[in-house]
Amino acid sequence: MADHNDRTPHVPGPRHERPADHDQALNLTQPPPGKQPQLAALREWWDNAWDEGGILHSRWEDLRRAPVLGWHGMANWIKAALGLAGICAVVILLDGATDVLADALHRLLTAVPRVQVATDTSDSVFAVVDQPIRSYIAAHATTLPISASTVYTVWQAVGLFGLVGGAFRSSGARLTWTAWGAASIAAVYSTTPADGRTIATGLAVLAWTAASTLALRGLTLRPSLFIHNAAPGIEIRPQIHVPTPAAPPAEDTPDNVHPLQKR
């Protein structure tokens, strides 16, 4: 029988420590605090956005109906996005084409005329008009600060401007075309040798007048008549009264005729 009065203290044995790997495994299986509520909230927002009336569902409907509604009926945010994309595309194209355009313009302005003084061997009809103009420019542009080739290029550009602008019925372009044609004919007349001067000048006039059918289309020399069909002014004066005609005598009035009376 054990003695209940035994007060011998109990000495415990050495404690068994849990391995660190076990604690790390428990930490990996359990998500960090606060991470799971954020994912759940994000999933809930995504589901609500795609429900009918949600923001993503509405944007998708705008995109789906845009081809049917056309430019005027589509949503404004689609118009803004397309406009911004177009502006970006234009900026990119202009940035890439700036060097090409500058080089092309430089080549155009510095292009050497193909025909110089007394060096043309062409027998085309156009050379009859073009050669005297080139020769005139080459002979009279030696004292200018720009080269003869640049003057010839400017002459061509001005003629093209007058022709195209006159076709669109621009008054300034038509005046430019008229002055350009007169200057070209004068250059042909002064440069062509005396033996063929009349024929060359006549061909230049015919070529200019033929091109003028496009540059001066719609222009007529007949005077324009403006007929003003305004209605004559009618003046109403309430102070003017028209007297009532007097009734004929009673003995001269038939029984079936009675004067008008106001009621």
Side-chain angles (χ1 to χ4, degrees), residues 148-163:
S149 60
T150 304
V151 176
Y152 179 74
T153 304
V154 172
W155 175 83
Q156 288 181 316
V158 171
L160 183 62
F161 165 75
L163 180 63

Side-chain angles (χ1 to χ4, degrees), residues 152-224:
Y152 179 74
T153 304
V154 172
W155 175 83
Q156 288 181 316
V158 171
L160 183 62
F161 165 75
L163 180 63
V164 176
F168 286 97
R169 302 187 178 185
S170 173
S171 300
R174 287 178 173 178
L175 291 176
T176 304
W177 172 258
T178 304
W180 181 86
S184 301
I185 294 172
V188 171
Y189 179 82
S190 62
T191 309
T192 306
D195 295 339
R197 179 175 298 169
T198 304
I199 296 177
T201 305
L203 289 177
V205 172
L206 291 177
W208 180 77
T209 52
S212 296
T213 58
L214 178 63
L216 305 179
R217 67 185 186 93
L219 187 64
T220 178
L221 299 178
R222 292 181 297 179
S224 300

